[in-house]
Amino acid sequence: MIVYTKLWETLRKKGISQYKLIHQYGISTGQLDRLRKNENVNTYTLNALCTILNCDLSEIATYIPEISENQ
């Protein structure tokens, strides 16, 4: 599972609000909602966020292995 908790920390550190992402950089509210809910987002959005924030993907997303019932 990919989680985006680091995104919100990075936004705060860089001083960029969600309002600014939407209105200045053109990130859709739907994409932000999916990020909030740790749902699927496309690589275009992740690339745009890395460009806007001048950061690596690791500063936005974290991979957490899912534990299946068979393990």
Side-chain angles (χ1 to χ4, degrees):
M1 166 184 233
I2 304 290
V3 296
Y4 301 101
T5 50
K6 287 186 176 182
L7 169 62
W8 314 113
E9 296 168 18
T10 302
L11 283 170
R12 189 171 37 257
K13 287 178 187 174
K14 303 278 184 165
I16 297 178
S17 67
Q18 291 181 49
Y19 181 88
K20 193 171 187 178
L21 284 177
I22 295 164
H23 295 285
Q24 185 172 342
Y25 296 107
I27 302 295
S28 74
T29 55
Q31 288 290 339
L32 287 176
D33 189 49
R34 284 189 283 284
L35 288 161
R36 259 186 243 100
K37 295 176 181 176
N38 295 315
E39 294 177 348
N40 293 332
V41 294
N42 59 42
T43 54
Y44 177 85
T45 299
L46 296 175
N47 185 65
L49 289 169
C50 287
T51 301
I52 293 164
L53 297 170
N54 190 29
C55 70
D56 292 329
L57 187 56
S58 63
E59 295 176 76
I60 291 176
T62 305
Y63 170 71
I64 299 175
E66 293 184 44
I67 300 172
S68 68
E69 293 179 18
N70 296 333
Q71 291 181 341

